[in-house]
Amino acid sequence: AVLQREPLYNWQATKGSLRERFAFLFSNELLSDVHFVVGKGSARGGGAAPPGPGQQRIPAHRFVLAAGSAVFDAMFNGGMATTSAEIELPDVEPAAFLALLRFLYSDEVQIGPETVMTTLYTAKKYAVPALEAHCVDFLTKHLRADNAFMLLTQARLFDEPQLASLCLDTIDKSTMDAISAEGFTDIDIDTLCAVLERDTLSIRESRLFGAVVRWAEAECQRQQLPVTFGNKQKVLGRALSLIRFPLMTIEEFAAGPAQSGILSDREVVNLFLHFTVNPKPKVDYIDRPRCCLRGKECSINRFQQVESRWGYSGTSDRIRFTVNRRISIVGFGLYGSIHGPTDYQVNIQIIDYEKNQTLGQNDTGFSCDGTASTFRVMFKEPIEILPTVCYTACATLKGPDSHYGTKGLKKVIHESPTASKTCFVFYSSPGNNNGTSIEDGQIPEIIFYT
């Protein structure tokens, strides 16, 4: 710190406000009654011994510090108050401590990319929430995909939930850019798991798996472990179970995870069976799609009543629809068996009716409990639906007779307190549709995000 060079006699007369007078005393020996030796350095002999390399001796005024910080107030005036005229702070960076003092003396905020994290630490240590808020605001304005993981780690470390939430939103929107950045492999395991648990990442699961393998290799090196298949599996721990392998195509799984050595032979076989046979064996991995969508999941049901006995012979149930606004469909609700708990095999599709183009499909299965409820069947990825375009919802079920809907509605409106109305209009699908129409049939429910 540079000491003030103004004449000391009658300096008060040149300062027109209290703020100017206090600002003049910042880092000034004039009237100072305490000194801080800030920064790491070799042990000092005390007294007048000069600060070591990396340290800085900074004058201050107890009254000003106590007026701006409860921690300093307790340090100087509490029951365990120090009487020392010189206080060592080895865990604080000199630039950050000067930024804190500047703020306490003058309300001036002086932070930059190199000092913001150490200043945030110092503001928290000395309980100066106003400076904390300025640091968080600075970080928020400079938040980008390529630094989101680094800032997320710091936000979790410093218990800044608002900043952490903004980092996660940025990672959701630009997942590929975020995981490609250098800071991704430096995050801790808890942060990695917090990200992998999210339903809103916008990335193919195979690419996410590749990034997780890179993280595991870096973690092995941090723990000074040989980079082997077993050690990568060990450092990943719970994170491995958060990879949604069922969302991959069989080609993606075969080219990546199946050959990675991180999964056991039994897990690889079970997942290949999950991709290729029906009924599908249960796997210990999440198959819920990552929607990369905001807001709350919505659904509409087009029937007013449920009846019994709808049969299946390999023909698809189909219903056409349009919608008045852009949405993303993530799945259907389908009726299940009238004969008690049963498993169904099912293929679901959404087709652009005019272009006769399949926009999304999933070969999967679902279990029902014999009630007249609907049972969720989800697509692997959200399917974008545009306003005024005609689409066909299609479900091909293999299983026993089921419940079905009657007293169907041609128009169904979903109202949300935070968004405008979403209006679905249904039309019977020409051709062989297994009997499903506007009035009766299957595919009662559409699950979507606005």
Side-chain angles (χ1 to χ4, degrees):
V2 178
L3 300 183
Q4 303 291 339
R5 299 297 184 184
E6 296 186 34
L8 298 185
Y9 174 72
N10 202 25
W11 61 269
Q12 298 87 341
T14 65
K15 312 301 175 189
S17 67
L18 180 66
R19 178 179 176 179
E20 286 183 86
R21 289 190 286 276
F22 272 43
F24 176 76
L25 295 175
F26 162 66
S27 196
N28 196 329
E29 293 285 354
L30 182 65
L31 303 180
S32 66
D33 54 1
V34 66
H35 288 80
F36 293 91
V37 178
V38 185
K40 294 179 181 177
S42 55
R44 301 170 65 244
Q55 292 182 314
Q56 193 167 335
R57 189 169 185 269
I58 300 171
H61 306 77
R62 293 172 186 251
F63 168 74
V64 177
L65 302 192
S69 159
V71 175
F72 282 126
D73 189 21
M75 181 186 293
F76 299 131
N77 305 311
M80 303 287 287
T82 180
T83 57
S84 175
E86 186 169 286
I87 300 167
E88 294 198 23
L89 304 176
D91 63 325
V92 178
E93 290 291 322
F97 194 71
L98 284 168
L100 174 74
L101 295 190
R102 186 185 299 276
F103 184 76
L104 294 179
Y105 278 79
S106 67
D107 286 338
E108 182 182 342
V109 179
Q110 194 172 93
I111 51 180
E114 297 81 15
T115 61
V116 62
M117 296 311 308
T118 53
T119 302
L120 177 59
Y121 166 78
T122 307
K124 280 187 165 289
K125 177 181 173 73
Y126 293 102
V128 185
L131 183 56
E132 281 183 50
H134 283 293
C135 291
V136 172
D137 186 54
F138 180 91
L139 291 169
T140 300
K141 289 177 180 177
H142 291 78
L143 174 61
R144 307 180 308 273
D146 62 359
N147 65 14
F149 274 108
M150 182 273 289
L151 293 182
L152 175 60
T153 300
Q154 300 295 329
R156 288 167 60 86
L157 176 66
F158 292 128
D159 190 26
E160 290 289 347
Q162 182 182 358
L163 178 59
S165 178
L166 291 170
C167 290
L168 289 168
D169 285 344
T170 300
I171 291 166
D172 283 345
K173 293 173 187 174
S174 306
T175 309
M176 193 65 210
D177 290 338
I179 66 169
S180 300
E182 191 175 328
F184 170 72
T185 55
D186 296 330
I187 62 177
D188 60 84
I189 184 66
D190 290 336
T191 302
L192 178 66
C193 289
V195 171
L196 294 180
E197 286 171 345
R198 294 179 70 76
D199 292 335
T200 43
L201 300 178
S202 51
I203 188 173
R204 295 289 304 171
E205 204 70 17
S206 56
R207 291 187 174 183
L208 186 60
F209 175 77
V212 169
V213 171
R214 281 195 294 112
W215 180 91
E217 291 169 350
E219 183 65 12
C220 284
Q221 292 172 348
R222 278 191 290 272
Q223 296 188 23
Q224 298 182 331
L225 297 171
V227 183
T228 63
F229 297 146
N231 283 336
K232 284 190 280 189
Q233 187 180 56
K234 177 183 175 183
V235 298
L236 281 170
R238 185 174 74 90
L240 188 59
S241 68
L242 301 175
I243 300 292
R244 303 183 186 187
F245 295 106
L247 300 186
M248 299 181 188
T249 65
I250 189 170
E251 294 82 8
E252 289 172 334
F253 180 75
Q259 301 181 47
S260 69
I262 293 178
L263 296 174
S264 70
D265 291 344
R266 183 174 182 177
E267 288 172 318
V268 170
V269 169
N270 283 346
L271 282 163
F272 269 125
L273 290 173
H274 178 83
F275 289 123
T276 55
V277 304
N278 283 307
K280 298 183 180 302
K282 185 178 179 181
V283 292
D284 296 326
Y285 294 99
I286 302 166
D287 61 0
R288 186 173 64 252
R290 297 190 191 273
C291 294
C292 59
L293 299 171
R294 301 293 177 277
K296 187 178 180 182
E297 182 182 283
C298 309
S299 65
I300 56 100
N301 193 314
R302 64 192 190 91
F303 293 120
Q304 301 177 81
Q305 188 171 316
V306 182
E307 298 289 348
S308 295
R309 200 168 296 282
W310 194 261
Y312 305 99
S313 58
T315 303
S316 301
D317 287 272
R318 294 168 180 259
I319 189 73
R320 292 187 299 148
F321 68 92
T322 60
V323 68
N324 68 324
R325 59 185 299 197
R326 181 176 174 174
I327 64 170
S328 292
I329 291 179
V330 295
F332 299 149
L334 302 179
Y335 291 122
S337 173
I338 58 174
H339 302 294
T342 310
D343 292 334
Y344 282 85
Q345 298 170 40
V346 61
N347 171 274
I348 57 172
Q349 297 182 43
I350 289 184
I351 301 166
D352 185 313
Y353 178 71
E354 296 295 338
K355 297 178 181 178
N356 194 29
Q357 177 184 358
T358 301
L359 304 179
Q361 67 93 32
N362 191 17
D363 279 303
T364 183
F366 70 94
S367 298
C368 64
D369 58 8
T371 68
S373 304
T374 58
F375 300 91
R376 292 160 64 94
V377 182
M378 309 301 281
F379 291 99
K380 289 191 175 184
E381 292 184 328
I383 300 168
E384 184 179 52
I385 301 296
L386 300 177
T388 72
V389 177
C390 188
Y391 299 92
T392 302
C394 175
T396 310
L397 281 80
K398 185 177 180 181
D401 292 352
S402 74
H403 294 91
Y404 71 97
T406 64
K407 296 186 178 180
L409 301 170
K410 182 175 179 62
K411 180 186 289 188
V412 181
I413 296 174
H414 181 276
E415 297 194 43
S416 167
T418 58
S420 55
K421 295 179 181 179
T422 305
C423 178
F424 288 80
V425 179
F426 292 96
Y427 310 86
S428 294
S429 183
N432 198 344
N433 53 30
N434 200 42
T436 286
S437 64
I438 298 172
E439 293 81 16
D440 307 288
Q442 258 285 12
I443 319 179
E445 197 168 69
I446 294 178
I447 305 167
F448 65 98
Y449 283 77
T450 56

